[in-house]
């Protein structure tokens, strides 16, 4: 059974801080790992990672995958209050029609 | 571009009634759609995989007779919560794969059963 574990479960920081969110996984026939940001509605896509060691970057957010250690991190630099959200990590295997298995998420709160 | 829509976005119903939620793929065809449920402060839990033209595949612990899924066309899947009870109140999200390896999520439907 595929499994995703995220840590920490919650995090409170102040604006300007840098945060690192962790995601470890077990999956049969790994296809991809995805990061999402969820505020009040459905998750919005951040990154899709398929290869080890290649950093994906979008503004202040970046992410990298380690397929040997079955691990990914999501970094957010110079955090802003608008970054407050739940960050979800999901993995997709090559079986089961490509369904995603989600972690429990990390709730990030950025205080002014 | 490819988008997944859901309708309604919010529904309030009385206990014992049935509620139908629609999930549509716009500008693409989806042979497979996924239905998730999310309780407050919890992650998304996959309920079932909806397959066009065949029976849905339900995850362990999800009652197929309570959560009826119909994927009648390549752009529409419906989830019907039958005889809804307050414990069925949740956020229901559908998704579909537009051809890559990334799911596109619908905006979700918040169900409140009184």
């Amino acid at each position: 059974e595929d499994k995703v574990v995220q840590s920490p479960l919650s995090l409170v920081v102040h604006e300007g801080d840098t945060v690192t969110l962790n995601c470890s996984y077990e999956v049969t026939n790994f296809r991809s790992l995805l990061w999402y940001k969820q505020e009040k509605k459905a998750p919005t896509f951040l990154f899709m990672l398929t290869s080890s060691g290649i950093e994906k970057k979008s503004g202040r957010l970046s992410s990298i995958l380690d397929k040997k250690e079955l691990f990914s991190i999501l970094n957010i630099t110079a955090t802003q209050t608008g970054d407050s959200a739940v960050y979800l990590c999901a993995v997709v295997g090559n079986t089961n029609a490509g369904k995603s298995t989600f972690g429990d998420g990390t709730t990030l709160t950025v205080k002014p | 571009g490819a988008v997944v829509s859901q309708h309604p976005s919010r529904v309030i119903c009385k206990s014992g009634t049935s509620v139908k939620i629609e999930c549509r793929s716009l500008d693409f065809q989806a042979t497979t759609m996924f239905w998730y449920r999310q309780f407050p402060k919890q992650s998304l839990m996959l309920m079932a995989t909806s397959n066009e033209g065949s029976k849905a595949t339900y995850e362990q612990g999800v009652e197929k007779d309570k959560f009826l899924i119909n994927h009648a066309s390549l752009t529409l899947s419906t989830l019907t919560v039958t005889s809804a009870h307050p414990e069925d109140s949740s956020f229901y999200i559908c998704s579909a794969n537009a051809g890559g390896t990334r799911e596109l999520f619908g905006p979700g439907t918040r169900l409140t059963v009184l």
Side-chain angles (χ1 to χ4, degrees), chain A residues 22-39:
Chain A
N22 307 298
C23 175
S24 63
Y25 64 90
E26 297 172 20
V27 64
T28 302
N29 296 323
F30 175 89
R31 184 195 287 185
S32 59
L33 183 145
L34 302 104
W35 285 96
Y36 296 89
K37 177 182 182 182
Q38 186 176 25
E39 294 172 273

Side-chain angles (χ1 to χ4, degrees), chain A residues 31 38 42 45 48 99-100 103, chain B residues 38 43 59 101-103 106:
Chain A
R31 184 195 287 185
Q38 186 176 25
F45 171 79
M48 181 171 73
K99 70 177 184 180
S100 299
Chain B
Q38 186 176 34
S43 190
E59 296 299 302
T101 56
R102 173 165 76 87
E103 287 174 70

